Amino acid sequence: MDTLVRHRRITIAGIEVFYREAGRQGAPVVLLPHGYPCSSYEFRNLMPRLCDRWHLVAPDFPGAGYSDTPDDFDYSFDGYAAFLSSFIDALKIDRFVLYLHDFGSPIGIRLAIARPASVVGLIIQNGDIPYEDALGPKYADIETTWTLPLPEMKSALAETVREETFREEFLNDLEPDLAETIPPDLWKLHWSLMTPKRKEIAVNLIAGLKENRSWFPQHRRYLADHQPPALIVWGPKDHYMPEKSARAYLRDLPDAELHLLGGGHWLLETHLDQAAALIRDFLERVHG
């Protein structure tokens, strides 16, 4: 079995895009949009576990990872969703299971809302949730900046875009024994790719969480109206998205399959074996 992940580039609207790909062309597709402050690197270990049956595709968004950082791109959740739509069109992908994690969740759900017939199912893993009352305590730190004038808000958020904060994002709320399993490559790599332009992009995207709140009703309506088959696989040791965040999805997806594992926000680093087994079982049932 060929379990190698290929590292490819494609030009979309003049932007050179890096992406990881594994599995046979023509096999059922799993689309893997990444979170912040990360890149397609977060899926590097999951992809070989599933590529015997599925075609897995994980792009680096413009301004992240090894993709270009053009000056004229719309670096917002809307802009990234439009990019993701163009990306799957360029690869001639028309149906897929969508992985929703971190900022990949508000981006991916916009794609799902725009193209509901393309979405075979959802794998929801510590994604940014659309339930205001079920957010974790760390989100309150972001919300406190929303009362500031925009320049002051961005100045405060800019203080959080630094290597030490990246480290804290990846370690999050883990106990020491689990924290030891998180490779420092995660924050070292992604901080090494930071530039002044990319820092500006990150600040604007985090600031955009305030505006994204208006998308919550559309997000919930999509889930309730379409009832996509859903696997909720969650790391409850997450200051942003704790256990109550995972359970909140059951309000609109009562038939979703919920599994709480022992890790945190970056579950594919700490509980890869358990998560991959659950994902494989789900994919075999809905997208085999």
Side-chain angles (χ1 to χ4, degrees):
M1 182 179 68
D2 182 358
T3 61
L4 294 177
V5 176
R6 267 68 182 187
H7 304 91
R8 306 189 189 279
R9 295 183 183 273
I10 188 172
T11 300
I12 300 174
I15 303 169
E16 186 174 271
V17 175
F18 173 89
Y19 66 102
R20 300 170 199 262
E21 187 173 33
R24 175 180 56 83
Q25 294 285 335
V29 173
V30 182
L31 183 61
L32 303 165
H34 65 81
Y36 170 85
C38 207
S39 66
S40 61
Y41 184 76
E42 72 172 272
F43 299 113
R44 71 199 181 282
N45 294 323
L46 177 66
M47 297 174 78
R49 302 292 185 101
L50 302 172
C51 65
D52 60 319
R53 292 280 304 279
W54 296 277
H55 178 194
L56 298 106
V57 183
D60 284 353
F61 290 123
Y66 298 124
S67 288
D68 281 353
T69 308
D71 290 332
D72 57 350
F73 184 80
D74 177 9
Y75 293 102
S76 67
F77 293 118
D78 289 344
Y80 280 130
F83 159 79
L84 198 57
S85 184
S86 297
F87 175 78
I88 61 173
D89 284 344
L91 268 60
K92 297 181 170 54
I93 295 170
D94 57 0
R95 284 174 59 78
F96 49 87
V97 164
L98 182 60
Y99 196 105
L100 300 179
H101 173 245
D102 195 86
F103 279 2
S105 181
I107 295 167
I109 210 67
R110 282 164 166 77
L111 177 67
I113 290 169
R115 304 171 70 155
S118 295
V119 179
V120 178
L122 302 176
I123 300 166
I124 307 173
Q125 189 257 296
N126 296 78
D128 277 40
I129 65 168
Y131 305 98
E132 298 93 329
D133 62 328
L135 294 165
K138 193 71 173 175
Y139 244 92
D141 296 342
I142 298 173
E143 292 172 347
T144 58
T145 68
W146 293 358
T147 60
L148 300 172
L150 186 59
E152 294 180 29
M153 178 176 73
K154 289 187 176 182
S155 178
L157 292 174
E159 292 299 313
T160 70
V161 184
R162 50 194 174 89
E163 183 177 353
E164 180 57 29
T165 308
F166 277 24
R167 178 180 180 274
E168 292 170 1
E169 291 289 330
F170 287 112
L171 297 180
N172 205 302
D173 194 26
L174 294 177
E175 301 97 336
D177 62 325
L178 277 180
E180 289 178 349
T181 70
I182 301 289
D185 310 75
L186 282 164
W187 61 86
K188 290 290 186 182
L189 167 62
H190 293 97
W191 182 251
S192 74
L193 297 171
M194 184 59 63
T195 64
K197 176 65 177 177
R198 288 188 169 196
K199 182 171 183 176
E200 177 186 343
I201 291 165
V203 168
N204 289 336
L205 198 60
I206 298 169
L209 289 171
K210 180 179 181 180
E211 184 178 329
N212 186 62
R213 191 62 59 89
S214 67
W215 265 84
F216 280 16
Q218 294 180 68
H219 190 155
R220 295 192 298 264
R221 192 177 311 119
Y222 165 80
L223 299 176
D225 289 350
H226 292 278
Q227 291 296 304
L231 169 68
I232 305 169
V233 57
W234 210 265
K237 298 294 184 180
D238 186 342
H239 271 153
Y240 289 100
M241 302 291 165
E243 179 177 334
K244 66 178 181 180
S245 302
R247 295 192 180 280
Y249 277 103
L250 298 178
R251 303 173 193 176
D252 293 305
L253 294 173
D255 295 327
E257 184 180 334
L258 171 63
H259 296 271
L260 297 169
L261 304 185
H265 193 76
W266 303 93
L267 202 62
L268 299 182
E269 301 295 333
T270 61
H271 288 70
L272 176 65
D273 290 342
Q274 298 96 313
L278 292 167
I279 292 169
R280 173 176 287 276
D281 178 68
F282 174 73
L283 290 174
E284 285 176 344
R285 286 184 279 111
V286 307
H287 201 36

